[in-house]
Amino acid sequence: MKKVSLTGDRPSGPLHIGHLFGSLLSRKETEIENESYVMVADVQALTDHFDQPEKIRENIYEITADNLAVGLNPEKTTFFIQSKIPQIAELTVFFSNLVTVNTLKRNPTVKTEIAEKKDLFGQEGESLTYGFLGYPVSQAADITIVRAEVVPVGSDQLPMIEQTREIVEKFHRTYPIKGNTFPLPIAKLSDAPKIIGLDGSAKMSKSLNNAIYLKDTPEKTAEKIKTAKTDSGSSIKELTDPNPSPSIYNLVRIYALIHNQKIIDAYKELDGMKYSPFKEKLAKDLNNYLSPIRERREELKPDYIKEVLDAGSKKVLKKAEETMALVKKAMRIDY
Ligand code: ATP
Ligand code: MG
């Protein structure tokens, strides 16, 4: 039996190599084994970009192009836009009764993101919106609307999946029916669940200006790697330190990923190499690695991307109606 799998990306910017190694490549395996959905999370992206709808609109196409360019097959993976499924918003309202404000405030990912968005939410989070605080609830609705069993994500998303499981369990306790309304979803991490930023910050992210985008030109890629943070050393040393320098480790890790090597073997190979030639080699090899993805991306037409999203959204709409019928029956509001 195929499992139902759902994952998603926020259209807050084009996708980067953190997404590639952390998520996109494993989606290719997922689509073979599972009934696979990829959601473009425009409603979620609006929670911290509510005043930039044009940016979100543009990036819906960008991130779908990134997914398709990596080789995902729209015959196997259903791509859809979150806002095209109003049942997600409806389910979010019902779920919001099952989670406390304090629980959301304690969510480690939400806490980190609020701290990163001081411009938007204030130094102490005093301008935090109800919408942003509640996005984990909406994410629980994204996952459960297709009754997903598996959720492939990067490690920053683990608290979100835990939150979803808590909501599902509370829903089942509160509105019991024979059999359960939803499966209890599990998170699935890839081999590279967190690529850190080129600036050495905890996560490569579209919102932090520290990423190499799949759509970057080879020149831009080389320039970003050249200025990436290193450490006070001057050459790569074999990996013996249990706490290696994180920014160098991250660059070597990217090197290992593109060469399909174990990190320890990449360190061995690069032992003694000065940072500057290493960065040049990394840029050259990464550009070679990304070149077929970039070529495919160039060939994708906006009309085709729109067709893929329209067809997928229609398909999910049907499934969402089925789910809401089950939800309303369980909640005894199927008047
Ligand atoms: P934003 O800053 O807008 O949140 P993002 O770069 O975090 O953007 P998302 O769209 O939130 O990207 O994440 C999409 C998926 O990619 C999630 O499963 C997330 O865990 C994963 N992901 C994001 N960044 C990384 C990273 N640096 N390394 C590994 N996986 C990542
Ligand atoms: Mg994110």
Side-chain angles (χ1 to χ4, degrees):
M1 267 282 275
K2 282 192 170 191
K3 287 213 160 115
V4 180
S5 149
L6 175 123
T7 190
D9 306 308
R10 293 156 38 97
S12 51
L15 300 184
H16 50 68
I17 58 169
H19 295 115
L20 180 70
F21 296 117
S23 189
L24 299 183
L25 292 174
S26 59
R27 289 178 195 180
K28 289 215 285 187
E29 290 157 34
T30 309
E31 76 172 8
I32 298 169
E33 297 158 9
N34 297 325
E35 175 185 332
S36 177
Y37 296 88
V38 171
M39 187 187 77
V40 181
D42 62 336
V43 177
Q44 187 182 122
L46 283 165
T47 60
D48 55 344
H49 295 79
F50 53 86
D51 53 352
Q52 299 172 67
E54 281 306 326
K55 178 175 170 181
I56 303 302
R57 193 183 174 94
E58 190 184 306
N59 282 302
I60 286 177
Y61 290 92
E62 297 287 348
I63 65 171
T64 310
D66 287 324
N67 272 278
L68 294 172
V70 168
L72 283 166
N73 178 354
E75 302 286 322
K76 295 206 172 92
T77 294
T78 303
F79 288 91
F80 70 102
I81 302 180
Q82 188 182 15
S83 63
K84 289 255 190 185
I85 315 298
Q87 290 84 350
I88 294 176
E90 192 183 7
L91 187 55
T92 303
V93 173
F94 297 144
F95 279 175
S96 65
N97 297 323
L98 306 179
V99 56
T100 66
V101 171
N102 278 338
T103 304
L104 293 170
K105 282 191 172 159
R106 279 198 305 265
N107 183 304
T109 305
V110 172
K111 264 167 96 171
T112 309
E113 289 174 346
I114 294 170
E116 280 165 7
K117 297 175 204 291
K118 288 195 170 36
D119 287 357
L120 195 59
F121 299 137
Q123 283 298 321
E124 306 292 328
E126 62 279 9
S127 308
L128 175 66
T129 59
Y130 168 67
F132 189 82
L133 183 65
Y135 95 71
V137 184
S138 162
Q139 195 161 323
D142 305 332
I143 294 167
T144 49
I145 205 77
V146 295
R147 303 196 293 286
E149 297 160 279
V150 188
V151 191
V153 280
S155 56
D156 65 305
Q157 289 299 307
L158 290 177
M160 299 300 164
I161 313 307
E162 196 42 48
Q163 179 63 81
T164 301
R165 290 169 63 87
E166 280 171 25
I167 291 175
V168 165
E169 283 175 330
K170 181 108 193 245
F171 186 95
H172 290 156
R173 281 198 307 276
T174 315
Y175 309 113
I177 49 163
K178 221 172 130 221
N180 273 329
T181 309
F182 305 109
L184 193 60
I186 53 161
K188 188 175 165 227
L189 289 179
S190 74
D191 298 339
K194 191 192 243 179
I195 301 288
I196 71 170
L198 294 177
D199 56 355
S201 71
K203 186 172 103 64
M204 187 175 279
S205 162
K206 338 180 181 87
S207 308
L208 300 176
N209 205 14
N210 63 6
I212 296 171
Y213 296 107
L214 301 184
K215 68 179 266 191
D216 276 342
T217 61
E219 295 72 28
K220 184 98 196 154
T221 304
E223 194 187 305
K224 285 182 177 177
I225 292 180
K226 196 170 169 191
T227 52
K229 189 171 173 207
T230 53
D231 60 13
S232 55
S234 61
S235 58
I236 298 177
K237 306 261 177 314
E238 245 192 86
L239 188 59
T240 46
D241 187 344
N243 293 309
S245 148
S247 35
I248 294 296
Y249 184 89
N250 197 44
L251 293 176
V252 175
R253 185 134 178 262
I254 295 169
Y255 184 87
L257 283 164
I258 58 182
H259 291 286
N260 210 2
Q261 261 175 329
K262 290 205 178 100
I263 181 90
I264 192 140
D265 295 334
Y267 264 100
K268 257 191 207 138
E269 181 196 321
L270 299 164
D271 184 35
M273 197 166 184
K274 295 257 185 261
Y275 290 160
S276 169
F278 164 59
K279 283 176 153 187
E280 278 170 29
K281 180 164 172 52
L282 176 62
K284 187 165 155 266
D285 293 356
L286 181 61
N287 279 328
N288 280 338
Y289 181 88
L290 294 177
S291 154
I293 296 177
R294 287 170 170 162
E295 272 169 32
R296 270 201 297 270
R297 204 182 185 287
E298 280 293 299
E299 285 162 14
L300 288 164
K301 305 257 183 306
D303 281 353
Y304 171 69
I305 295 174
K306 187 173 168 8
E307 264 170 44
V308 167
L309 289 168
D310 281 350
S313 302
K314 247 189 217 151
K315 187 171 152 196
V316 174
L317 210 45
K318 264 179 97 179
K319 186 143 189 177
E321 276 168 11
E322 281 166 27
T323 303
M324 286 317 288
L326 293 173
V327 164
K328 288 185 175 175
K329 191 155 176 254
M331 291 180 72
R332 308 205 26 81
I333 56 169
D334 52 341
Y335 327 113

